[in-house]
Amino acid sequence: MRIVSADTGGALLDENYNPIGLIATVAVLVERPYKTAKLSIAKYSNPFKYDLSGRMALKDETFLALKLAKKVKPDVIHLDSTLGGIEIRKLDDSTIDALRISDRGKAIWHELSKDLQPLAKRFWEETGIEILAIGKESVAVRIAEIYAGIYSVKWGIEYAMKEGFVRIGLPRYMTVEISKGKILGKSLDPKEGGLYGEVGMEDKEFEWEIYPNPIARTFMVFEAKS
Amino acid sequence: MRIVSADTGGALLDENYNPIGLIATVAVLVERPYKTAKLSIAKYSNPFKYDLSGRMALKDETFLALKLAKKVKPDVIHLDSTLGGIEIRKLDDSTIDALRISDRGKAIWHELSKDLQPLAKRFWEETGIEILAIGKESVAVRIAEIYAGIYSVKWGIEYAMKEGFVRIGLPRYMTVEISKGKILGKSLDPKEGGLYGEVGMEDKEFEWEIYPNPIARTFMVFEAKS
Amino acid sequence: MRIVSADTGGALLDENYNPIGLIATVAVLVERPYKTAKLSIAKYSNPFKYDLSGRMALKDETFLALKLAKKVKPDVIHLDSTLGGIEIRKLDDSTIDALRISDRGKAIWHELSKDLQPLAKRFWEETGIEILAIGKESVAVRIAEIYAGIYSVKWGIEYAMKEGFVRIGLPRYMTVEISKGKILGKSLDPKEGGLYGEVGMEDKEFEWEIYPNPIARTFMVFEAKS
């Protein structure tokens, strides 16, 4: 099974470890044995202008996943919304009302589906590829999340080279290591069976450190200074 | 404390990683230090004829646990139903209605208790051994689950020798290793403190692989081909 | 960020692994990189006289945290109650009623806040240090929990030297190792990023063992005999 999925993650943090805004949306192509990505593409946000209360992430993720899917023609697309794997093209208002999710979740999906449902329907008609709301059940979504952390670190290093310092909150229970010419990201949850990712970068001179976020257990903080 | 417990697990999977049916019910005897089984017995189902919507598993598990318990005379029997450790012999209709579980759970237990309550009562009167609905709190139930994965793999290897190929979904966060003459199963959750199991088998010529189930995060897939 | 936090844990267990009473309340000072404590102080309870149904733990923890905070002047105090990080000094009756917690939780906090709210208000007025109900989100609270396990083991070894034997249930997914002159406690959850603690003790002659609690999955049992 060849899966394209997408996720958004990595947050610029202030000195009290509170998020200022999210950094990277990433789409990945995941193939057997489903432990890392074969391909990845990233789109950066401006974390200083990010609306953390908004619902932009899932739309951005869908657009980026479609961009990658058009190129690599996967069997299926996995989005980071845990609706039991339902096809997005089937999410009309009565179907959303029948979902076993919170009222708030329904309100969000009534809004989101206005754009995403016709988009998914058209994409499916043209290509036969389904877009599923599978969320945390999907290993591919988790791999996209790990890559979002890696690309956020890549962005952070560039930022620190210019501004002197950066503090980034990584996605849940993952860590990164930096060695000559690449950033390696790894799940800290052995139950996931060894998920990881790797992205290349130019060699630079900087110091970095990774440690637990004191106010968000199981989340790590990455800091770099030039 | 000497505990007998039982569990059902290991699923034959189709090419989209959806379960066709469950494979093995296993009863184990667990003794201090509670990391593996001292004894195990297995009963195989026909996964092609398995009713996944049914409630057969818990009955099968109870019967198999009793079979082992009659032989080894444990201090207690643990079943895989998380009702806070209540004694099955006490599960009459009014007690079930008073449980803090879902209405669906109550309906299932009203049905199950018709058979299991008198059985547990008689067994307790004859032997003094209680049968507890302790479920996921019990390390012994988890060890039974790991053994269900191991026996499913054993079944799968036999199947692949005859049919050429098998794909099995293991119980939650466990993996297996195969080396000369035995199948070793291990929990992937270090929080559990190192639970594992081991079952012997005849030496055979086959290839095998284990990797994350892409649509069921923290579950591994075992494949073998002859 | 310099954080003082406190927690209570470690339970004396009977021969069926049921808790008799809790053993140690511990306050810790946690500083960057937030993986262990810089300082720790402990207050022992008498587990044989412990009211497990009571709500004493949080009060004891607050008093001990304040004792340490007066000495080390942290930036903030973290308590083990998961109310989203709200300041204790703001917990008046109408604020408690507006919390999104269970009715039982509200009743407990209506009672607790009578003492703790004025105490927190006064401490904040005098020092500017906030006391937050952050609970399981806080790495510092988890480190306090690990130290509560370590101090319980220290208490247990003393007890076993006098009484011959002790059986202690450690806080969730942690283990201990004892080597010359010290007790090392470690989180068993790698998602937490390597949390640990260490407490010195006099050299003694005894045997010890650690193994999974059979009726409380992911909890370990420590036993010592002289």
Side-chain angles (χ1 to χ4, degrees), chain B residues 1 3 32-35 78 134 136-140 142 173 189-193 195, chain C residues 15-17 173 188-191 209-220 223:
Chain B
M1 197 187 289
I3 309 164
R32 223 186 117 136
Y34 313 109
K35 291 192 181 181
H78 285 182
I134 182 173
K136 65 182 171 57
E137 296 303 314
S138 167
V139 166
R142 173 61 173 155
Y173 37 88
D189 187 356
K191 300 203 301 291
E192 295 183 330
L195 308 184
Chain C
E15 69 279 13
N16 295 316
Y17 301 101
Y173 37 88
L188 286 173
D189 187 356
K191 300 204 300 292
E209 190 180 357
I210 194 148
Y211 59 87
N213 184 331
I215 61 166
R217 203 163 56 93
T218 73
F219 287 80
M220 301 297 127
E223 287 185 4

Side-chain angles (χ1 to χ4, degrees), chain B residues 15 24 44 54 58 65 88 112 127 135 148 150 158 196 218:
Chain B
E15 68 280 13
Y44 291 112
L58 197 69
I88 302 289
L112 276 173
T127 65
I150 297 170
E158 300 279 354
Y196 68 95
T218 73

Side-chain angles (χ1 to χ4, degrees), chain A residues 9-11 23-24 44 147-157 168-171:
Chain A
I23 298 168
Y44 291 112
Y147 272 84
I150 297 170
Y151 278 102
S152 293
V153 165
K154 187 173 182 176
W155 176 93
I157 293 167
I168 287 171
L170 296 181

Side-chain angles (χ1 to χ4, degrees), chain C residues 68-141:
Chain C
L68 182 58
K70 280 168 188 164
K71 196 173 130 194
V72 303
K73 306 273 183 246
D75 298 309
V76 66
I77 296 175
H78 285 182
L79 294 188
D80 183 24
S81 176
T82 306
L83 302 182
I86 197 168
E87 298 88 347
I88 302 289
R89 69 181 169 90
K90 295 182 181 169
L91 281 177
D92 54 28
D93 281 344
S94 60
T95 303
I96 292 168
D97 283 329
L99 292 171
R100 292 209 278 187
I101 58 174
S102 68
D103 285 347
R104 191 160 159 272
K106 286 180 189 180
I108 290 167
W109 265 106
H110 278 302
E111 188 60 32
L112 276 173
S113 67
K114 283 179 200 163
D115 292 337
L116 298 188
Q117 189 272 338
L119 189 67
K121 186 155 175 284
R122 207 172 338 118
F123 190 72
W124 173 76
E125 286 166 352
E126 289 168 6
T127 65
I129 301 171
E130 291 281 13
I131 307 179
L132 307 181
I134 182 172
K136 65 182 171 57
E137 296 303 314
S138 167
V139 166
V141 168

Side-chain angles (χ1 to χ4, degrees), chain A residues 62-76:
Chain A
T62 308
F63 297 149
L64 201 65
L66 284 174
K67 185 179 169 184
L68 182 58
K70 280 168 188 164
K71 196 174 130 194
V72 302
K73 306 274 183 245
D75 298 309
V76 66

Side-chain angles (χ1 to χ4, degrees), chain A residues 181-206:
Chain A
K182 68 186 185 193
I183 305 168
L184 173 66
K186 291 189 294 187
S187 168
L188 286 173
D189 187 356
K191 299 203 301 292
E192 295 183 330
L195 308 185
Y196 69 96
E198 208 175 281
V199 169
M201 65 160 190
E202 293 166 43
D203 243 356
K204 290 183 178 63
E205 281 287 319
F206 62 95

